[in-house]
Amino acid sequence: MKLLHIDSSVLGPHSVSRQVSAAIVDRLRQATPSLDIVYRDLTQTPLAHLSGSHLAAAQGAPAPAELAPDLAASAAVLNEFLDADVVVIGAPMYNFTIPSQLKAWIDRVLIAGKTFKYGAAGPEGLAGGKRVIVAISRGGYYGAETPYAAGEHLETYLRWVFGFIGITSLEFIPADGIQIGPNHREKALAGALEAATSLRAA
Ligand SMILES: Cc1cc2nc3c(=O)[nH]c(=O)nc-3n(C[C@H](O)[C@H](O)[C@H](O)COP(=O)(O)O)c2cc1C
């Protein structure tokens, strides 16, 4: 069984989402020691933003030589995702949504003909059968009862993206209120780490 672990926080060891995504992977590894784990750090090894040359290359046009390493990374990223049975993602909220590093990864994974297609009945996800677990960390609170609910474009966006490509096994472990104060941060992190240890086995 293959697990793909992705982090996207720029805060290194101070990151909440990195601590929680690591705890999720630890929990799944303990339950299934034979797990084959691939790790991708999107801030250590960022993917470029899509360009016209990327799209032309995808249509079979010759690509500029300087794009070759990034096109190779693109293929690697897509294959890692397609090969994975379980995907664990650390996703902090930056300016109300995912970090641009994670968006660049999504741009390499949502590929027509690979992870979705348009048929007579509209869009159809092709990536079903995977389990996706997302550790999200937010500075504030965005629950439905709060005045900030309409500004939540992290979890809602990821739910849409993974639903679009056919993922039905989608779990979120949130750590909220991280910037409200040290007590909030400590409590949110402890709760998220506890939730990670209680996950069902891979
Ligand atoms: C550049 C930046 C933008 C942020 N934007 C928001 C935001 O829009 N809303 C929010 O609630 N918190 C925001 N925060 C706070 C983070 O969501 C919070 O610190 C979270 O723990 C970040 O996850 P990380 O610790 O894994 O990096 C922002 C933090 C940074 C560094």
Side-chain angles (χ1 to χ4, degrees), residues 155-177:
E155 181 175 343
T156 48
Y157 174 70
L158 292 173
R159 279 188 190 281
W160 178 264
V161 162
F162 287 115
F164 183 77
I165 60 173
I167 306 290
T168 54
S169 177
L170 181 59
E171 295 152 84
F172 286 87
I173 297 189
D176 288 326

Side-chain angles (χ1 to χ4, degrees), residues 10 19 30 36 40 42-43 49 52 64 68-69 89-90 92 99 107 111 126 129 136 138 141 172 176-178 181 185:
V10 299
Q19 290 180 67
Q30 276 165 24
D36 179 2
R40 184 168 280 274
L42 296 174
T43 64
H49 288 172
I89 302 175
D107 288 341
I111 305 293
L126 302 176
I136 54 176
R138 294 174 283 217
Y141 295 102
F172 286 87
D176 288 326
I178 297 300
R185 178 189 170 99

Side-chain angles (χ1 to χ4, degrees), residues 9 11 15-17 92-96 137-140 142 178-179:
S9 166
L11 296 181
S15 158
V16 170
S17 63
M93 175 182 272
Y94 294 160
N95 297 315
F96 308 106
S137 48
R138 294 174 283 217
Y142 293 84
I178 297 300
Q179 296 292 351

Side-chain angles (χ1 to χ4, degrees), residues 4 25 38 55 66-69 97 99 102 104 128-129 132 145 152 168 172 177:
L4 172 62
V25 173
V38 171
L55 300 184
E66 63 272 17
L67 206 60
T97 187
L102 184 55
V132 177
E145 72 291 351
E152 210 296 320
T168 54
F172 286 87

